[in-house]
Amino acid sequence: MINMIKEGLENNGLITAFAVIGIVMYIAYFLSDKLTKGRVHGSAIAIMFGLILAYIGGVNTGGEKGISDIQLFSGIGLMGGGMLRDFAIIATAFGANFSEVKKTGIGGITALFFGIFYSFVIGIIIALCFGYRDSVALTTIGGGAVTYIVGPVSGTAIGASSDIIALSIAVGLIKSISVMILTPIFAKKIKLNNPRTAMIYGGVMGTTSGVAAGLAATDVKLVPYGAMTATFYTGLGCLLVPSILFLLTEIIF
């Protein structure tokens, strides 16, 4: 009986993945509500669970894909892949009102470029503090500070090692979790209470998952606006970091 259930779960990997992630999300939101009264968003707790499970999966299998290296959970690799990730991001942006988007105007565009530049510079400073001096490592880690997607995309494009790419992802994850936790805490102080400020905030912070979860804990109606500019931010970062910002880093270092 147990073998039949196991075989069924393995043969329907994507369905199993949705069920496992659903259970993890339920537990995360339950803990968020009962232990922190919603101050730490359920998404942040779920990401921590994901990192722990990935570590356990990697240690037990010696593989490279975390928990999805275990046959029973192989569908999580597909579920967490680029295709469904991009679909989720685009689906989130569909909730935005275009008339509100137009009101952001030049402020939204300025926020995008400012957000990428200052995040990249902070990433460079962090890399320098840890002793990195070559332009490839500096650019990759700087890209990770932009988002944990821009870091590996840039690192792959300019030939960074897997260790540096992994470090850039770690930097991006720390940023994402920080934005998730701190957004609802500082929302009132920075007047994050309307679509325009949400779009500018998404453009400055960039990390789509962090902005979406942070805004969900602040006001769920603001999520599509912040998520949309954060998505633009990621795309623009993937263009600027391995090209213009890499060339500037090479000139300076």
Side-chain angles (χ1 to χ4, degrees), residues 5 33-34 42 62 66-67 78 93 108 118 130 150 159 187 208 213 253:
I5 295 174
D33 182 45
K34 298 300 179 183
I67 194 70
L78 175 61
Y118 96 86
F130 281 90
V150 175
T208 307
F253 297 96

Side-chain angles (χ1 to χ4, degrees), residues 139-227:
T139 302
T140 304
I141 296 172
V146 175
T147 74
Y148 58 78
I149 295 174
V150 175
V153 169
S154 303
T156 303
I158 61 179
S161 67
S162 58
D163 292 344
I164 297 298
I165 290 175
L167 186 58
S168 75
I169 295 172
V171 172
L173 282 173
I174 291 172
K175 175 184 176 181
S176 179
I177 293 172
S178 300
V179 171
M180 285 181 192
I181 296 172
L182 296 178
T183 297
I185 296 175
F186 291 102
K188 286 186 179 179
K189 293 182 180 178
I190 61 176
K191 298 181 179 179
L192 186 57
N193 55 12
N194 60 75
R196 185 174 186 276
T197 55
M199 290 189 70
I200 293 174
Y201 184 74
V204 172
M205 291 294 119
T207 167
T208 307
S209 55
V211 168
L215 290 178
T218 304
D219 183 351
V220 71
K221 294 178 181 177
L222 301 179
V223 173
Y225 300 99

Side-chain angles (χ1 to χ4, degrees), residues 3-246:
N3 287 336
M4 287 180 60
I5 295 174
K6 183 181 178 184
E7 186 177 346
L9 293 173
E10 289 178 351
N11 291 337
N12 298 277
L14 187 57
I15 296 174
T16 304
F18 273 103
V20 171
I21 297 303
I23 293 170
V24 171
M25 292 297 294
Y26 178 83
I27 295 172
Y29 275 79
F30 178 81
L31 293 177
S32 170
D33 182 45
K34 298 300 179 183
L35 298 182
T36 72
K37 302 296 182 185
R39 292 184 178 89
V40 178
H41 197 266
S43 297
I45 297 174
I47 284 180
M48 294 304 298
F49 282 158
L51 292 174
I52 293 170
L53 291 173
Y55 175 79
I56 293 172
V59 168
N60 287 333
T61 64
E64 298 177 349
K65 298 179 182 177
I67 194 70
S68 63
D69 282 322
I70 300 174
Q71 181 63 29
L72 182 62
F73 304 114
S74 60
I76 293 177
L78 175 61
M79 185 181 178
M83 181 179 68
L84 288 178
R85 179 203 63 206
D86 294 344
F87 175 78
I89 290 171
I90 293 169
T92 303
F94 264 95
N97 186 329
F98 191 66
S99 63
E100 295 291 347
V101 174
K102 290 194 293 185
K103 292 178 184 176
T104 307
I106 194 68
I109 297 173
T110 304
L112 285 173
F113 283 94
F114 173 75
I116 291 171
F117 182 75
Y118 96 86
S119 296
F120 184 76
V121 171
I122 290 176
I124 292 279
I125 293 172
I126 292 172
L128 289 171
C129 291
F130 281 90
Y132 294 100
R133 294 294 183 270
D134 65 285
S135 57
V136 171
L138 292 173
T139 302
T140 304
I141 296 172
V146 175
T147 74
Y148 58 78
I149 295 174
V150 175
V153 169
S154 303
T156 303
I158 61 179
S161 67
S162 58
D163 292 344
I164 297 298
I165 290 175
L167 186 58
S168 75
I169 295 172
V171 172
L173 282 173
I174 291 172
K175 175 184 176 181
S176 179
I177 293 172
S178 300
V179 171
M180 285 181 192
I181 296 172
L182 296 178
T183 297
I185 296 175
F186 291 102
K188 286 186 179 179
K189 293 182 180 178
I190 61 176
K191 298 181 179 179
L192 186 57
N193 55 12
N194 60 75
R196 185 174 186 276
T197 55
M199 290 189 70
I200 293 174
Y201 184 74
V204 172
M205 291 294 119
T207 167
T208 307
S209 55
V211 168
L215 290 178
T218 304
D219 183 351
V220 71
K221 294 178 181 177
L222 301 179
V223 173
Y225 300 99
M228 186 165 61
T229 47
T231 304
F232 288 148
Y233 172 106
T234 300
L236 188 61
C238 289
L239 290 175
L240 293 179
V241 172
S243 56
I244 296 174
L245 294 179
F246 175 56

